[in-house]
Structures are given as structure tokens and as C-alpha cells.
Amino acid sequence: MRVVATKEPKLGTVVRTLRGRDQEQYAVVVGFVDSRTVLIADGDKRKFDAPKKKNVLHLEITDFISSEVASSIQETGRVTNGKIRYALLKFAEGMTAEESGKETSNG
């Protein structure tokens, strides 16, 4: 997965935290506070009902957007924690597939 530092996050975007107690963890953007602050959740330790407020500068924004999470939030105003965990699982599978592809092409 390609990571873009200057990209604006959207609903359902998978991000990696760079600062704080949850450093190096992946989460999904589930809301916005203002232009610099987003709400993130991972569906496990950070549930949708109690998301973490995070400064965009403290996040690494990936190009992976979960359409299921984004459409669920837009349609009903909420998303299940299972859908968030599923989106992160699909992202992780894509990362491992990409890494294994790099290893075979370089070797």
C-alpha cells in the first residue's frame, strides 16, 4: 500500500497513528471534529461509540478506503465494530500480499 502524507482523510480511510499511546496501530476514520481533527476507531480497543480524537498531523494516511464503513456511516450515521475490524483485516491482508510480492520480485 502506498502511503500519502499530504492527503486529506475521508470517512472509512485506514490510518496509522504516529503519536500517542496507540502509536503504530491502525484504525479507521469514523468522523470529523474540524479541519485538523478526526475521530478514529479500531473496533476492538476503540469502539465506534467511544472513538479517539486525533490530530491529522499525528496520523499516516493510507490510500485504502473501506467503502462498507463509509457507506454505512453515510446511510445510518453509525457502523458496527465488526465492520471496522473487517476493514482493518482486509487492509492487513493487502499489506501482507504486497510485501510477499515485493520479496519474490526482489529475490
Side-chain angles (χ1 to χ4, degrees):
M1 298 273 151
R2 188 173 55 92
V3 177
V4 182
T6 59
K7 192 172 171 184
E8 290 291 321
K10 296 179 173 63
L11 277 180
T13 303
V14 173
V15 296
R16 183 171 66 105
T17 58
L18 301 175
R19 301 277 189 273
R21 185 174 291 163
D22 55 352
Q23 187 172 352
E24 301 298 322
Q25 299 295 319
Y26 287 94
V28 179
V29 175
V30 295
F32 299 95
V33 176
D34 55 32
S35 62
R36 294 181 52 198
T37 312
V38 295
L39 299 172
I40 61 172
D42 65 4
D44 184 27
K45 293 184 183 204
R46 277 288 173 186
K47 308 278 189 195
F48 175 79
D49 293 331
K52 176 76 174 171
K53 190 164 56 167
K54 216 53 173 156
N55 188 327
V56 176
L57 298 176
H58 297 168
L59 297 173
E60 185 174 55
I61 302 164
T62 66
D63 62 349
F64 185 87
I65 298 175
S66 172
S67 59
E68 293 98 5
V69 172
S71 65
S72 180
I73 292 173
Q74 289 170 348
E75 290 172 9
T76 64
R78 43 185 308 109
V79 64
T80 63
N81 293 309
K83 280 188 184 180
I84 294 172
R85 288 191 303 269
Y86 181 75
L88 291 172
L89 179 69
K90 286 297 179 188
F91 173 75
E93 287 175 357
M95 290 277 291
T96 56
E98 185 175 287
E99 287 173 2
S100 65
K102 286 181 182 177
E103 290 174 7
T104 57
S105 63
N106 291 340

